[in-house]
Amino acid sequence: MSLTIVLFDNAHWRKRLFPFASTRPVGNIRTGICTLNEKWEHIFQSPVTYFTADHLSGKYPFEHQDSPEFLFIMANVLPSESLVKELKAMEKGDVLVDETSWIAIKTSEPSLDLENLFENYNPIKSSSEIHFLNFLEDIFLQNKSQLLFDYNLLTAGRQSAAISESNMVFGSWIFIEEGAMVEGVSLNSLEGPIYIGKDAKIEEGAFLKGYVAIGDAARVKSGARIYPNTSIGPGSTVCGEINNSVIWGNSAKGHEGYLGCSVIGEGCNIGAGSSNSNLKNNWQFVRLFDYEDLSYRETSEYKCGLFMGDYAMCAINSSFTTGSVIGVGSQIAMSKFIPKFVPDFSWLTDRESTAYTFEKFINMMERREQITGSDSLQSNLSIFKYIFDDVKYLHVENQS
């Protein structure tokens, strides 16, 4: 092993990507087809590890096994063809920088001295246009470009599985992995690629219009309408109308309802008939709750939908207003519009708004594992406990 890729996010700015970065390193966030760590591993054909927050180090340890070389990459940096060329050209002792920050450092040491950055390393100015995941909305805003990057990365030199004649096919920008079942489906790749992962099931009567990615073993149910700039993670089940959104792995939006300009975390469940708004009636910029400042931040976007942290769930016919941020592990069953911000581990109904009892949450997760066969609880237990203890102060009356 000659090179180890280290995704660095042990810094204050990672809170801007909560609730998603509270349960994983920033380098494990999904945008496009792959998570960031999967992209870098495929690009360099080298192991990827994390230099991240302490509470995540049990599940995501810094593993380097005495590697002779390390390429530290700012975890929220998104790969591009030009950036990859610059990174591959770096030598030991180089630091790649742009106008605002360092991008990558190549070193023989498994540590960094960022306070003396330019004394310890040789600065090289990047000529690439660098894109970052700075805020929640960047995950879906960058999804189109990253989906294209990943499509080219994963399909280069490979041939798609055969496309059944039962499908209605427009264009040829389609790649289907072996084992996927795609029958009686409308596949429109005239304006963007369609990627369908291994063992995915796309049921008859579904409509996919690229740019679209369907992850391994995911299910797209009959009648689903999947519009451009949408990524469905591995093991997820979807139906209804989905546009310009990223759904993580093992989540379910299995019924009718609209999801747009949104990001849904791991293990979430969206009840039948639930929908989100992504445009304000007054056509003003959308404001989102920011975990770093504990206040509402005005984006520069007119369209922002729902941002739901891992293992959050909502009941049937839930209505999410424009720019809703839902915390990790929250349970919501309301007949009216849900507040714009729901803290992690909330129990929210028409009658009460309180913190979810931690023991009851764990019991629910144990029952979930028995039914679904998943095994995520043990590896996440200490992370859940840290977040639960850390956010108790947020369980106050929220703005709407």
Side-chain angles (χ1 to χ4, degrees):
M1 181 174 61
S2 60
L3 178 67
T4 296
I5 309 299
V6 185
L7 301 182
F8 177 92
D9 76 341
N10 193 16
H12 68 91
W13 49 262
R14 67 185 322 278
K15 284 194 171 184
R16 301 171 191 160
L17 292 164
F18 279 22
F20 306 113
S22 59
T23 49
R24 61 176 56 77
V26 171
N28 188 235
I29 285 178
R30 182 182 305 280
T31 183
I33 301 173
C34 305
T35 58
L36 292 171
N37 59 293
E38 290 170 342
K39 301 174 199 282
W40 294 118
E41 182 175 7
H42 198 97
I43 290 166
F44 284 95
Q45 295 296 298
S46 295
V48 176
T49 189
Y50 307 94
F51 198 103
T52 188
D54 289 343
H55 78 278
L56 298 173
S57 60
K59 184 178 180 181
Y60 302 95
F62 178 29
E63 297 179 328
H64 55 84
Q65 299 176 346
D66 299 322
S67 174
E69 281 190 321
F70 299 89
L71 181 61
F72 284 80
I73 302 175
M74 193 77 79
N76 63 337
V77 169
L78 298 175
S80 65
E81 289 186 15
S82 61
L83 176 60
V84 168
K85 289 180 182 178
E86 292 181 332
L87 293 174
K88 288 186 174 181
M90 291 178 66
E91 298 182 356
K92 285 184 183 180
D94 288 345
V95 53
L96 188 68
V97 298
D98 72 351
E99 300 294 344
T100 60
S101 68
W102 67 273
I103 304 301
I105 299 171
K106 196 165 190 180
T107 176
S108 58
E109 299 295 330
S111 61
L112 297 176
D113 182 4
L114 296 179
E115 292 185 1
N116 302 292
L117 187 65
F118 297 113
E119 296 177 16
N120 295 330
Y121 307 105
N122 173 43
I124 299 174
K125 180 70 169 60
S126 172
S127 59
S128 301
E129 183 179 358
I130 309 294
H131 294 282
F132 299 84
L133 295 182
N134 286 322
F135 300 105
L136 294 180
E137 64 270 24
D138 293 329
I139 298 173
F140 77 81
L141 289 172
Q142 296 292 339
N143 197 53
K144 178 180 179 180
S145 62
Q146 285 299 296
L147 198 156
L148 177 59
F149 179 90
D150 292 348
Y151 183 93
N152 292 332
L153 182 69
L154 296 177
T155 65
R158 303 176 61 218
Q159 185 173 349
S160 170
I163 301 176
S164 169
E165 293 183 357
S166 70
N167 297 298
M168 184 178 295
V169 179
F170 305 90
S172 58
W173 207 358
I174 300 168
F175 194 96
I176 300 177
E177 298 283 2
E178 294 293 337
M181 296 178 59
V182 187
E183 299 286 350
V185 175
S186 176
L187 301 169
N188 185 341
S189 67
L190 292 175
E191 297 179 3
I194 295 174
Y195 176 88
I196 298 174
K198 182 181 178 181
D199 298 326
K201 295 181 180 180
I202 318 297
E203 297 177 354
E204 61 275 9
F207 294 80
L208 278 65
K209 185 176 182 180
Y211 296 64
V212 164
I214 309 297
D216 294 352
R219 178 189 178 195
V220 179
K221 296 173 69 174
S222 295
R225 288 87 68 203
I226 312 297
Y227 292 107
N229 311 335
T230 295
S231 294
I232 309 300
S236 289
T237 298
V238 296
C239 195
E241 184 180 6
I242 306 176
N243 177 54
N244 203 26
S245 295
V246 177
I247 297 180
W248 242 273
N250 304 306
S251 286
K253 183 209 171 298
H255 304 280
E256 288 298 322
Y258 175 73
L259 183 74
C261 301
S262 297
V263 182
I264 306 300
E266 180 90 16
C268 296
N269 188 77
I270 297 178
S274 298
S275 293
N276 76 272
S277 166
N278 63 355
L279 177 67
K280 297 175 70 172
N281 288 343
N282 59 11
W283 289 82
Q284 290 183 344
F285 287 146
V286 178
R287 297 168 71 236
L288 292 176
F289 185 82
D290 190 308
Y291 276 77
E292 183 180 29
D293 296 329
L294 299 180
S295 63
Y296 287 83
R297 171 183 57 84
E298 185 173 282
T299 71
S300 59
E301 302 300 322
Y302 292 105
K303 287 191 173 184
C304 280
L306 168 64
F307 301 86
M308 178 179 280
D310 292 357
Y311 301 100
M313 304 180 191
C314 66
I316 61 170
N317 297 319
S318 294
S319 297
F320 294 93
T321 191
T322 312
S324 294
V325 177
I326 310 301
V328 173
S330 293
Q331 303 284 308
I332 301 170
M334 297 185 70
S335 61
K336 54 188 178 181
F337 269 106
I338 294 160
K340 281 179 65 69
F341 173 60
V342 177
D344 306 84
F345 296 106
S346 291
W347 183 274
L348 192 59
T349 69
D350 287 344
R351 291 182 298 178
E352 62 177 339
S353 175
T354 186
Y356 203 158
T357 302
F358 189 72
E359 289 73 18
K360 290 184 177 180
F361 172 79
I362 297 303
N363 291 339
M364 178 276 294
M365 289 291 294
E366 291 173 342
R367 292 191 296 271
R368 180 182 185 274
E369 290 199 343
Q370 292 174 0
I371 295 171
T372 64
S374 64
D375 58 355
S376 59
L377 177 57
Q378 195 58 42
S379 62
N380 283 314
L381 187 58
S382 64
I383 297 174
F384 290 151
K385 188 63 169 67
Y386 177 88
I387 297 169
F388 184 86
D389 291 339
D390 191 51
V391 300
K392 289 178 180 178
Y393 62 90
L394 288 178
H395 287 282
V396 295
E397 185 175 354
N398 295 298
Q399 303 178 43
S400 61

